[in-house]
Amino acid sequence: MDLRLLGYVVAIAEEGSISGAARRLRLTQPNLSRQLRELERRLGAELFARGGRRLVPTAAGEALLRRAVRMLADAEAAPNDVRLAAEGKTGRLTVGFAGSGINGALGDALGRLRAELPDVDLSLVELFDDAEMSAGILDGNLDVAVQRLPVRDARLATRVWAREPLTLFLPSVHPLARTREPAPVSVLGEIPLVLWPRESAPHAHDEIIALCHHAGIVPRIGARGRTVQTILALVAAGFGAAVMADSYRVLHREGVTPRRLAGTATTLHLVWRAGDTDPLLTRFMAALNTVKARHRTQ
């Protein structure tokens, strides 16, 4: 359907006459009458009937008008929609993150993006399996992810996002919690550990086991928990201590005392599809860089 013809129909309906619509459209009256007759012939229905001194839409005309108004409004809005999308101000962005990845600069950047771009559909997905996150990027379910161990794949672009210290979260009544000074890794041999199940968080689990083995320690497993809240609850209950990213201390779990592990850190990577030029992704990356730079200066 020609949008120009739809505009003619709307003008005739609003003016109530061919002559009035012709003046508004800067057309001759015979030309507009001919255009209307041709449209009615193509549609096989009369669109207007005489009602007193005015032309009024028929039932067929009303049906066309309802659709015409929507189509013309959509056509008018299209250039602005295109501009906003090209500037990365609209669209959908799905961000995957693992555990502590949401803390600190990432959380601030997401908040900034949400405030600055309210028309963006921002979707957040928490995942514990790094391989699953990388797969989500490749299959298009995720646009960007903050994860610890990206899959090696030429289709993925990666860069180090942050290096975060590891901290031992201890029962507050345990002797190791009496000082807040950084503890040597060797203390992991002095208390049972509360770990993530390997099937739900393989990298986090293996990272802690490797830390013990490099220090010549055979870890004792006190309990396992699938969420941070469960792990901290088990620590508070005295089942053992948990090794997790330092940013989890912001949870301030009663009965749990954090103590840094000297000389240790976990690395978070930013991962996205190589060659992805989506303006919204570009804007998100810029927000991340701005917030991260601010965090460095604090």
Side-chain angles (χ1 to χ4, degrees), residues 120-156:
V120 169
D121 183 2
L122 188 60
S123 178
L124 308 180
V125 181
E126 183 177 13
L127 296 166
F128 291 98
D129 189 328
D130 291 306
E132 185 179 355
M133 264 190 284
S134 292
I137 296 288
L138 291 172
D139 63 23
N141 288 327
L142 300 175
D143 296 302
V144 62
V146 176
Q147 60 183 104
R148 287 190 167 78
L149 194 65
V151 170
R152 293 181 181 274
D153 192 306
R155 295 171 294 170
L156 291 177

Side-chain angles (χ1 to χ4, degrees), residues 187-228:
V187 301
L188 299 182
E190 301 178 26
I191 187 172
L193 299 180
V194 180
L195 295 179
W196 310 92
R198 193 180 188 285
E199 63 272 17
S200 62
H203 183 67
H205 177 279
D206 292 350
E207 187 174 43
I208 297 166
I209 298 300
L211 198 64
C212 292
H213 288 170
H214 290 159
I217 297 166
V218 177
R220 292 177 293 142
I221 310 303
R224 300 181 190 275
R226 291 180 178 273
T227 68
V228 174

Side-chain angles (χ1 to χ4, degrees), residues 18 78 128 139 160 259:
I18 299 288
F128 291 98
D139 63 23
V160 172
R259 186 177 175 190

Side-chain angles (χ1 to χ4, degrees), residues 196-273:
W196 310 92
R198 193 180 188 285
E199 63 272 17
S200 62
H203 183 67
H205 177 279
D206 292 350
E207 187 174 43
I208 297 166
I209 298 300
L211 198 64
C212 292
H213 288 170
H214 290 159
I217 297 166
V218 177
R220 292 177 293 142
I221 310 303
R224 300 181 190 275
R226 291 180 178 273
T227 68
V228 174
Q229 290 79 7
T230 299
I231 286 175
L232 292 177
L234 290 169
V235 170
F239 283 84
V243 178
M244 297 191 296
D246 184 68
S247 59
Y248 282 128
R249 68 170 62 228
V250 300
L251 298 178
H252 300 294
R253 179 60 161 85
E254 186 177 353
V256 175
T257 297
R259 186 177 175 190
R260 285 266 184 94
L261 279 175
T264 65
T266 186
T267 302
L268 293 172
H269 297 84
L270 204 59
V271 186
W272 67 99
R273 282 180 295 280

Side-chain angles (χ1 to χ4, degrees), residues 4 6 20 22 25 82 87 89 96-97 101 103 105 117 119 126 158-159 170 173 181 198 200 210 218 255 296:
R4 178 177 54 89
L6 293 180
L25 296 168
V82 170
E87 294 174 355
K89 294 181 178 179
F97 63 93
N103 296 327
L117 304 173
D119 294 327
E126 183 177 13
T158 68
R159 67 179 170 90
L170 293 151
V173 297
E181 294 297 318
R198 193 180 188 285
S200 62
V218 177
R296 281 198 297 264

Side-chain angles (χ1 to χ4, degrees), residues 46-105:
E46 187 178 9
L47 298 176
F48 292 94
R50 178 65 61 182
R53 294 185 176 183
R54 292 179 59 85
L55 287 178
V56 295
T58 62
E62 288 286 1
L64 180 61
L65 275 169
R66 286 192 295 270
R67 193 170 293 274
V69 169
R70 291 196 300 269
M71 291 175 67
L72 290 169
D74 287 344
E76 185 177 356
N80 188 56
D81 289 347
V82 170
R83 178 182 60 80
L84 291 175
E87 294 174 355
K89 294 181 178 179
T90 59
R92 179 182 178 85
L93 187 73
T94 304
V95 182
F97 63 93
S100 66
I102 195 63
N103 296 327

